[in-house]
Amino acid sequence: MNKKPVVYMQTDPRWKDKPYQVKGETATIGGSGCGPSCAAMLIETLTGQTFTPEDACKWSVDHGYKALNAGTYYGYFAPQFAAFGIKCWQLSWTNTYHKPRSKVHDQALEYLKQGYYLIALMKKGNWTGGGHFIVVWWADGKIRINDPASTRDKRLNGDVETFRSEAAYYWVVDARAHNGMTDKEEDMDQEKFNQMFATAMQQYRQELRDNDCGDWSRAARQFAVNNKIFAGGDPGPDGQPNYMWEDLLTREQAAQLLYAFAQRFGLA
């Protein structure tokens, strides 16, 4: 059983109308600050330090994680928690929206039962009309939710199948010590080993998903970008697209790479 996290609302009158914005927009914490508000809840819960949505939104802007005319970049959470010595990582890069049978949801549930907290990105449906971050925790054998924008019961204790259908991505926050789970011994079996290995690989790949690369590949990288063979992901703090140069390459990605090359030069 997890301890209930601190509850913060992005719509709190103390800060809802304060800016959460970059140059070229007029966004506020109340309108766009759901991601940092979720982080603030869990950081204050785990550290005991006062850390409000206003504090978290300032950190996000100062470190380049506020997206123009949108919300918060996905890359925000891991470094924000790391600033407080807390481990956090994105569970999967697979979009599970409208995929309630995805194994990613099962992995997320297992983390909850082991004493972790989650931050989930919800897509259009019960929780949002577009995209919205919420905190997810576990108590009394049930999934519980802290929604930074609502206190309605259907958004705090929503139907599980609806939740699985509308959750797109998860971030895992290590709260085992806080929830008294670190000393719990578990028998190791193949399934638990597979889960641990999958988690380790996900964390390892997360470390590779940045723009680090060697000078020897500069010309090749520039060629691929200029010819639109590679498309970068969410920009990093420096504003440059994240090409994840050192990440692993799957057979599916290799096929797409060759196909993009062939299309570009009239071979397909």
Side-chain angles (χ1 to χ4, degrees):
M1 176 174 173
N2 296 352
K3 299 175 184 177
K4 182 177 181 178
V6 169
V7 177
Y8 270 133
M9 305 299 293
Q10 66 192 89
T11 54
D12 190 305
R14 290 175 290 177
W15 48 67
K16 71 174 184 177
D17 295 323
K18 292 187 177 181
Y20 177 44
Q21 59 193 234
V22 293
K23 186 177 180 180
E25 65 175 353
T26 58
T28 63
I29 294 175
S32 301
C34 55
S37 296
C38 289
M41 292 190 222
L42 296 183
I43 288 171
E44 185 162 324
T45 296
L46 297 177
T47 67
Q49 304 175 35
T50 299
F51 193 67
T52 69
E54 185 176 2
D55 298 323
C57 284
K58 182 180 185 305
W59 194 98
S60 175
V61 171
D62 289 348
H63 292 80
Y65 291 106
K66 173 64 177 73
L68 178 65
N69 295 322
T72 305
Y73 288 127
Y74 296 173
Y76 158 76
F77 293 105
Q80 171 69 97
F81 281 95
F84 289 85
I86 301 169
K87 292 182 179 179
C88 170
W89 66 93
Q90 189 170 340
L91 178 58
S92 171
W93 289 79
T94 300
N95 187 338
T96 57
Y97 181 55
H98 282 172
K99 298 176 182 177
R101 303 277 71 81
S102 171
K103 290 185 178 180
V104 175
H105 299 301
D106 297 328
Q107 293 172 352
L109 178 60
E110 187 61 30
Y111 274 115
L112 288 177
K113 292 179 178 179
Q114 292 175 11
Y116 293 82
Y117 292 129
L118 300 176
I119 293 174
L121 175 65
M122 311 305 293
K123 288 294 188 178
K124 186 176 180 179
N126 182 54
W127 283 268
T128 179
H132 183 55
F133 294 104
I134 59 174
V135 169
V136 187
W137 51 291
W138 178 260
D140 300 323
K142 296 180 180 179
I143 293 174
R144 310 290 187 175
I145 292 170
N146 286 9
D147 187 330
S150 177
T151 57
R152 287 182 291 174
D153 183 72
K154 73 173 186 176
R155 287 175 62 164
L156 303 184
N157 299 288
D159 174 70
V160 173
E161 286 301 306
T162 301
F163 177 86
R164 290 175 66 113
S165 181
E166 296 176 10
Y169 297 102
Y170 297 97
W171 286 261
V172 182
V173 179
D174 193 347
R176 290 173 297 170
H178 176 75
N179 288 317
M181 301 291 283
T182 52
D183 294 328
K184 181 180 178 180
E185 293 187 4
E186 297 183 1
D187 295 332
M188 179 62 68
D189 57 22
Q190 187 64 49
E191 182 178 359
K192 289 188 175 65
F193 175 81
N194 291 344
Q195 292 173 350
M196 291 174 61
F197 182 77
T199 299
M201 283 299 296
Q202 180 64 34
Q203 288 181 265
Y204 171 64
R205 291 193 67 185
Q206 186 75 23
E207 295 173 1
L208 300 179
R209 286 169 172 158
D210 53 35
N211 277 331
D212 288 348
C213 52
D215 289 339
W216 60 271
S217 64
R218 185 187 306 276
R221 287 185 284 107
Q222 197 61 53
F223 172 84
V225 172
N226 290 345
N227 287 283
K228 298 182 180 180
I229 295 171
F230 283 178
D234 289 340
D238 60 359
Q240 297 300 310
N242 182 6
Y243 290 100
M244 299 180 284
W245 294 117
E246 294 186 329
D247 197 8
L248 308 180
L249 182 70
T250 66
R251 293 166 66 91
E252 181 181 24
Q253 290 167 332
Q256 180 61 38
L257 173 65
L258 293 172
Y259 184 59
F261 179 89
Q263 283 186 310
R264 176 66 179 81
F265 294 98
L267 301 175

